[in-house]
Amino acid sequence: MKKVNLKETDPPPKIWNWVWDTLGEISDEVGVEKKGKYLLIYEGWGGICVSDIYDSKKSDEENEDESYKYAEEQSDDVIEEWIEGYKKTHNLIECGYEPTGLYGVTWALFKKIEK
């Protein structure tokens, strides 16, 4: 994944506060939030997203661990799709997976390309 993280593109602290506050409220929602020239895209992983890997022979704890692992592994593909979709209008600043919500949240912060 190619990230732009040059000094001139570093978001100010208020943007990072907005990012972390927003991500902290995500459960299994998918969304796009805008704040000025910044764009935050996220996907909260829920039960339906990870249902294909559920194994009735495993304990609830094992299934939960596997669900988090699966969501984290799938995050790179999701982020790559976002990068491809926004590459003409936005640069990727930072992205990742946070183990919050039901089975985690995949996210990416973009900055609008100035012409």
Side-chain angles (χ1 to χ4, degrees):
M1 246 171 279
K2 181 181 176 195
K3 292 189 278 185
V4 175
N5 203 6
L6 305 173
K7 188 155 181 98
E8 63 269 12
T9 61
D10 282 347
K14 70 179 182 177
I15 294 298
W16 283 116
N17 290 338
W18 166 71
V19 167
W20 297 122
D21 289 347
T22 302
L23 294 177
E25 296 174 7
I26 305 304
S27 178
D28 61 350
E29 300 89 10
V30 174
V32 176
E33 305 281 336
K34 293 180 183 179
K35 190 166 193 83
K37 54 191 162 191
Y38 294 95
L39 186 70
L40 175 63
I41 305 173
Y42 54 84
E43 180 172 335
W45 295 84
I48 293 174
C49 302
V50 298
S51 63
D52 289 346
I53 65 159
Y54 179 80
D55 185 345
S56 61
K57 295 175 185 155
K58 292 184 178 181
S59 70
D60 288 344
E61 185 177 301
E62 289 173 310
N63 274 308
E64 186 169 308
D65 289 346
E66 289 296 317
S67 295
Y68 276 102
K69 182 179 174 184
Y70 175 79
E72 185 172 12
E73 289 170 352
Q74 296 303 306
S75 291
D76 285 345
D77 292 339
V78 171
I79 292 168
E80 288 296 336
E81 287 178 24
W82 293 339
I83 292 169
E84 184 64 27
Y86 286 93
K87 70 181 180 184
K88 293 181 181 178
T89 58
H90 291 78
N91 286 322
L92 178 64
I93 301 299
E94 189 65 62
C95 59
Y97 169 84
E98 298 298 320
T100 61
L102 294 176
Y103 294 108
V105 178
T106 301
W107 63 277
L109 179 64
F110 292 87
K111 184 178 179 183
K112 188 170 181 80
I113 297 171
E114 298 187 31
K115 299 178 181 190

